[in-house]
Amino acid sequence: MCYKKTWSFYRCRSVLLFWLIPALLAVVTLSARGGGQVQLTRDGEPRAVIVLPAEPHEHETSAANELREFIARISGAELTVVEVGNDLPADVLAIRLGGAADAALESAIREQGDSFSSFALFVDETGVNIRGLNPEGTLFGAYELLEQLGVRWFMPGELGMVFPESTAVDIAYQRTIQVPSMDWRQLQWLRYSVPADYSRRLRLGGERRSTGAHGLPGNPPRGTGRQTCLSGHHAPGALEAVVKSMRETLERNPDQKYFGMGPLDGGGYCQCDGCRELDGDSYDPLRDAPSMTDRYIWFFNRVLEELEPDYPDVHIAWYVYAAHMFPPEHNVPNPRIMSVFAPIDLDRTRGMDNPMSPDRHILRHVIDGWAAFEPNEMVYRGYYNNLACPQFPFSQIDRIRNEVPALHAKGVNAVRVEVIFQSWASTPLTPYLAARVWWDVDTDVDALLADYYEKFFGPAAEPMRRYFEDLESAFRDTPHHTGSSYLYFPIFDAQRRDTLRGHLERAAELAAGGRPGWFQRLRQTLGRTDTAVDTAEKPSLYTERVRMISQGFERMELFLDMIAARNRHDYEAVETLKTAYLELTDALIDEGWVCSWEQRSGGYFNRFFRRTLESGYHRTVEAGDLVKGMDDEWDFLIDPAKIGEIAGYYRPGELGGNWQPFKTTSLSWSDQGLHYYKGEAWYRQTVTIPAKFEGRPIYLWFGGVDNAAKVWVNGQLLGTNREPKHGLPGEAGVFRPFDFLATEAVRFGEANTVSVKVTNDRLAELGTGGIVAPVMFWSPTDPDWQP
């Protein structure tokens, strides 16, 4: 099979090892090169043959197939694959893989390290030898050779592939050994199907191990809540059940080394005297509650003691997470207890050394505390997505650049990071960058990024570099870190959006050879520009890549414009923008650039925003009229002592006290300093209800609260979001709209005081709280209207 040369982006007379930026080779590596080189192809004809062992492992076969495919893409020459033992022509070079390569390479590798994925790539006048400590290492050695030839896999599929074009393919003499920094490397592509070959091409893998689990094996008895009684005081038998289950597993799989276990996800911990005694005086300052760590470390220590005579190498992996994140205060963990850091409650945007993120400094403190116990292994099980966001542009460059080496230096030797709803249109760089730095924590990230911009975007490299750098600055250099899309409201102001859009427009022009690009065409299609553009020519791959990124940015802009219209209570504009947003989302899903899960009811746009938008449209456009929209800014007061009701904070008119201005739709609870506050708080605002609505039913509508609200108008109680009076809950609940019949409480043509007590009694993963969406008075045109 001969590949057409339409895939080429870099033309050269021959491809050499030194074409690669030398800094990109930095890893735990022994690499020595002479001045010679060997020929793999010449004038489009093969000069080498691939040799496999007699019974190759699937990874060794994949290595042969990948070499054969991409050397053919580069040169048009197809290399033959043979089994070891076959006679080779005298003038043909052998590329020996895995078990067919020189066995002495294994001892050479072990002198540098024994990580599962390690490999040696030796090239001299006798041929090419690629061998790993395991077949996976052999495959990764083949990828190293291809990367030296200029091949890149920046994202799945043909759009993500880059390779040069040359009829002559040469590889330099070398003795390269690579041992990965992280022993286990996994991107957890939740709700997004990524081809297995792409993960392998990123060199993800290693020695598989459990990286934690929710729940204990053996179905141990529950305590006073939904969790297990570890002490046995309330319900005996937990230790026996867990040990028995593990022994049964080990009898079937005696080589199993890792067991994941821990509490069930969520609360409900046993409160019996025995379990509370295990906690001692340990304290979780983030939750203002006892830490659950000590009771579990005490229990895990006993489990390992029971198993040690027969299974001394068994490890327990458990999540350092939520109510059991802080190190134990009264129990020293067995070294075979693996801390799996899953800091879901902390800032998921920035790195541990970023001064904008106190949260990540807490994480550094937590990891240092666990590392002081000198465990055999530690795992980072973090998040490289903006939690609960509908896949808008997001950047993690600074975090990966600085945090991964710091984690490795502290003893973290395995990583499993969630990438929920991966969007190549919004976050194409994060998976590639993370995988490369996990492989080699000493990677020259600046050189890696320069390589990425040049090869992926070609003539548009410079404006795309500026786009990604300015996008990175938006997250790195601002103090906002609320999850979902609340993060985007304060960060992406008009000036920042104009700057980023300008970079994309320039990139589209350069990618299209100086003509107005796909970004302008997209905006013209959506009615957002009047510029006429030519759509006749077929786009290049560079243009397609810029188009992908531009459409991801445009989708974010449609969302932000939609939220701005919502905040000013313009629901006709909301509906128009929502239609365009959903159409573009569907188009990106069809391209494979946005996860299809976002289209479903469980998608984050639907979960956090769509109900509010459609409820507001129905009430003010389809079924009634806007009476009065409440302002973004309210008077606000926290109430940690819970005295607000007896102090009459709901009374109408002027009210003394230290009330402060507080935003509701433009800034989150966390971004105004309340990330760690749990308890009650009060909002107050005064509005005038126009006299022209007298005689019509009046409703007070809330777009959403987190998590419970009790509402008064002019001192008259209307109810709560979960149980509003008059049976009008709408879609009551957290982040969902609800309304109250307020006709009897309002005063037409006069000032009206709206008072809201919000209870936010748990630390939210997103960092939200209180009123999170617009509030308005509205009136149905049909007096018999029902929600």
Side-chain angles (χ1 to χ4, degrees):
M1 180 178 182
C2 182
Y3 289 91
K4 295 180 179 178
K5 296 178 182 176
T6 54
W7 310 108
S8 170
F9 308 110
Y10 297 90
R11 296 180 178 274
C12 56
R13 187 181 61 81
S14 65
V15 184
L16 298 175
L17 167 68
F18 299 103
W19 182 88
L20 183 71
I21 299 170
L24 299 189
L25 291 175
V27 68
V28 181
T29 301
L30 174 67
S31 185
R33 303 183 182 92
Q37 62 191 46
V38 297
Q39 297 179 353
L40 304 184
T41 73
R42 184 65 68 208
D43 298 327
E45 297 297 327
R47 302 293 295 272
V49 63
I50 299 170
V51 183
L52 282 172
E55 296 182 1
H57 186 278
E58 62 177 318
H59 287 327
E60 294 171 327
T61 301
S62 294
N65 291 339
E66 295 280 58
L67 288 171
R68 190 167 185 267
E69 174 183 349
F70 283 96
I71 289 173
R73 286 178 182 264
I74 293 169
S75 67
E78 287 197 355
L79 304 189
T80 302
V81 179
V82 300
E83 288 186 359
V84 67
N86 287 304
D87 293 332
L88 303 180
D91 59 344
V92 171
L93 185 82
I95 305 174
R96 297 181 175 85
L97 300 179
D102 186 352
L105 270 63
E106 283 201 21
S107 59
I109 298 170
R110 293 189 188 280
E111 290 179 4
Q112 305 303 314
D114 60 358
S115 184
F116 187 90
S117 305
S118 306
F119 66 82
L121 166 62
F122 284 15
V123 181
D124 59 24
E125 67 280 1
T126 66
V128 178
N129 281 269
I130 303 175
R131 188 173 183 128
L133 293 184
N134 289 277
E136 181 185 80
T138 298
L139 177 59
F140 293 164
Y143 289 140
E144 171 65 22
L145 186 151
L146 290 171
E147 288 171 12
Q148 290 185 19
L149 297 180
V151 179
R152 298 288 185 275
W153 300 277
F154 291 126
M155 60 176 283
E158 298 287 348
L159 192 62
M161 294 181 188
V162 171
F163 44 86
E165 181 180 85
S166 174
T167 59
V169 177
D170 301 333
I171 188 78
Y173 290 176
Q174 60 187 286
R175 296 172 63 85
T176 295
I177 295 172
Q178 293 194 6
V179 178
S181 299
M182 295 293 184
D183 293 329
W184 171 245
R185 306 162 305 283
Q186 182 183 14
L187 284 169
Q188 190 176 7
W189 311 96
L190 293 181
R191 296 171 182 166
Y192 186 88
S193 179
V194 172
D197 62 353
Y198 181 67
S199 292
R200 290 194 296 266
R201 287 165 177 170
L202 291 184
R203 304 192 199 180
L204 298 177
E207 185 177 6
R208 184 176 293 274
R209 65 203 65 201
S210 172
T211 53
H214 295 299
L216 298 172
N219 193 28
R222 290 172 55 173
T224 59
R226 59 192 289 268
Q227 305 282 4
T228 299
C229 177
L230 301 179
S231 68
H233 183 271
H234 176 79
L239 179 64
E240 293 77 9
V242 170
V243 171
K244 180 175 181 292
S245 175
M246 293 175 70
R247 283 189 178 278
E248 291 171 350
T249 300
L250 289 164
E251 287 171 4
R252 295 190 300 270
N253 305 291
D255 294 331
Q256 181 167 334
K257 183 177 178 180
Y258 302 100
F259 285 81
M261 64 183 71
L264 298 169
D265 202 7
Y269 296 96
C270 182
Q271 296 300 312
C272 76
D273 291 343
C275 287
R276 294 178 67 180
E277 184 178 350
L278 293 176
D279 300 332
D281 58 356
S282 59
Y283 175 69
D284 183 338
L286 296 185
R287 285 170 173 73
D288 190 23
S291 169
M292 297 294 105
T293 302
D294 266 289
R295 64 170 66 181
Y296 277 92
I297 293 301
W298 176 86
F299 184 78
F300 293 153
N301 280 342
R302 295 186 69 196
V303 169
L304 292 174
E305 288 170 7
E306 290 288 323
L307 293 171
E308 186 165 7
D310 301 314
Y311 303 102
D313 294 327
V314 164
H315 287 61
I316 290 176
W318 85 304
Y319 292 140
V320 172
Y321 168 81
H324 40 94
M325 180 175 71
F326 286 91
E329 298 180 23
H330 306 292
N331 294 272
V332 176
N334 186 306
R336 290 181 285 119
I337 296 175
M338 293 167 52
S339 300
V340 180
F341 301 105
I344 195 169
D345 292 332
L346 304 179
D347 180 0
R348 295 166 299 275
T349 303
R350 297 167 189 84
M352 293 190 298
D353 63 342
N354 191 314
M356 292 293 176
S357 180
D359 269 19
R360 301 305 281 188
H361 287 262
I362 293 173
L363 176 61
R364 182 187 290 274
H365 169 79
V366 167
I367 295 175
D368 286 343
W370 284 97
F373 292 115
E374 299 183 353
N376 292 348
E377 300 188 40
M378 294 194 296
V379 181
Y380 182 71
R381 193 252 187 252
Y383 309 84
Y384 280 169
N385 57 290
N386 181 29
L387 189 69
C389 177
Q391 308 174 61
F392 299 138
F394 192 55
S395 182
Q396 299 271 275
I397 295 172
D398 182 72
R399 177 183 173 192
I400 293 169
R401 177 203 298 266
N402 294 302
E403 192 166 88
V404 173
L407 290 169
H408 184 257
K410 293 176 184 296
V412 171
N413 68 309
V415 282
R416 171 192 163 207
V417 174
E418 283 188 12
V419 186
I420 306 176
F421 288 8
Q422 169 63 22
S423 168
W424 302 103
S426 299
T427 318
L429 183 52
T430 296
Y432 177 75
L433 177 62
R436 299 310 298 244
V437 179
W438 291 349
W439 181 264
D440 176 11
V441 297
D442 295 323
T443 293
D444 184 335
V445 173
D446 289 332
L448 186 76
L449 293 174
D451 185 68
Y452 174 84
Y453 300 138
E454 177 190 353
K455 292 179 174 57
F456 200 49
F457 298 112
E462 181 57 22
M464 290 308 297
R465 177 188 65 80
R466 293 182 180 182
Y467 170 81
F468 280 105
E469 288 181 353
D470 285 346
L471 183 68
E472 171 67 16
S473 175
F475 294 100
R476 181 191 64 219
D477 301 332
T478 57
H480 311 292
H481 64 267
T482 308
S484 188
S485 304
Y486 301 98
L487 173 67
Y488 290 77
F489 303 162
I491 287 180
F492 288 96
D493 57 20
Q495 181 178 357
R496 194 184 301 275
R497 288 166 61 179
D498 287 346
T499 298
L500 291 167
R501 192 185 316 111
H503 295 326
L504 292 172
E505 289 173 349
R506 179 57 178 157
E509 292 177 6
L510 292 175
R515 299 180 299 277
W518 273 103
F519 189 69
Q520 288 183 329
R521 294 175 201 161
L522 170 67
R523 294 176 62 81
Q524 181 188 41
T525 301
L526 295 171
R528 292 162 71 81
T529 181
D530 296 326
T531 304
V533 293
D534 176 23
T535 60
E537 82 280 3
K538 182 179 178 180
S540 70
L541 288 179
Y542 294 130
T543 296
E544 285 291 278
R545 291 165 182 158
V546 172
R547 179 173 73 92
M548 175 183 71
I549 307 298
S550 299
Q551 288 188 331
F553 180 81
E554 179 67 19
R555 182 168 169 268
M556 180 193 74
E557 288 213 281
L558 285 168
F559 172 81
L560 292 175
D561 290 345
M562 180 170 36
I563 295 301
R566 180 203 70 170
N567 293 348
R568 64 177 184 268
H569 310 284
D570 183 358
Y571 285 96
E572 287 190 275
V574 164
E575 186 66 15
T576 299
L577 290 162
K578 188 191 76 171
T579 299
Y581 170 86
L582 293 174
E583 288 176 352
L584 181 54
T585 298
D586 287 344
L588 290 171
I589 288 171
D590 290 342
E591 295 269 17
W593 297 341
V594 165
C595 176
S596 62
W597 190 267
E598 188 54 41
Q599 203 174 28
R600 306 178 189 177
S601 60
Y604 292 129
F605 173 72
N606 294 328
R607 177 178 175 184
F608 292 107
F609 300 102
R610 189 168 184 168
R611 291 183 180 93
T612 297
L613 301 176
E614 293 178 351
S615 175
Y617 178 77
H618 172 72
R619 282 157 171 76
T620 62
V621 178
E622 295 179 328
D625 301 303
L626 175 67
V627 173
K628 181 65 177 179
M630 307 290 283
D631 292 338
D632 172 27
E633 189 171 278
W634 295 59
D635 290 334
F636 180 83
L637 187 66
I638 61 171
D639 184 14
K642 302 182 180 180
I643 62 170
E645 288 199 49
I646 61 175
Y649 289 174
Y650 55 83
R651 289 175 292 151
E654 293 292 328
L655 191 66
N658 190 30
W659 295 81
Q660 302 291 323
F662 201 78
K663 305 288 188 181
T664 54
T665 59
S666 61
L667 279 176
S668 73
W669 176 285
S670 285
D671 288 336
Q672 297 176 89
L674 294 183
H675 181 38
Y676 306 114
Y677 179 70
K678 301 171 293 301
E680 295 181 358
W682 288 77
Y683 296 80
R684 289 170 55 87
Q685 189 174 150
T686 300
V687 296
T688 300
I689 303 298
K692 68 178 182 178
F693 287 99
E694 189 167 4
R696 291 176 59 174
I698 303 296
Y699 290 86
L700 176 59
W701 177 88
F702 286 74
V705 298
D706 182 14
N707 51 36
K710 192 172 183 179
V711 180
W712 294 259
V713 171
N714 296 324
Q716 181 174 327
L717 177 64
L718 299 187
T720 70
N721 61 318
R722 294 169 182 171
E723 295 181 354
K725 292 183 178 179
H726 307 293
L728 299 172
E731 294 184 74
V734 177
F735 297 109
R736 298 181 182 180
F738 56 95
D739 50 11
F740 307 89
L741 183 60
T743 310
E744 295 180 0
V746 299
R747 301 167 184 165
F748 295 95
E750 301 180 28
N752 293 264
T753 301
V754 178
S755 305
V756 184
K757 182 182 81 171
V758 168
T759 302
N760 189 29
D761 54 8
R762 64 180 184 271
L763 183 64
E765 295 173 356
L766 298 184
T768 53
I771 299 172
V772 297
V775 181
M776 66 181 178
F777 287 93
W778 73 283
S779 177
T781 53
D782 180 357
D784 296 324
W785 177 89
Q786 293 291 321

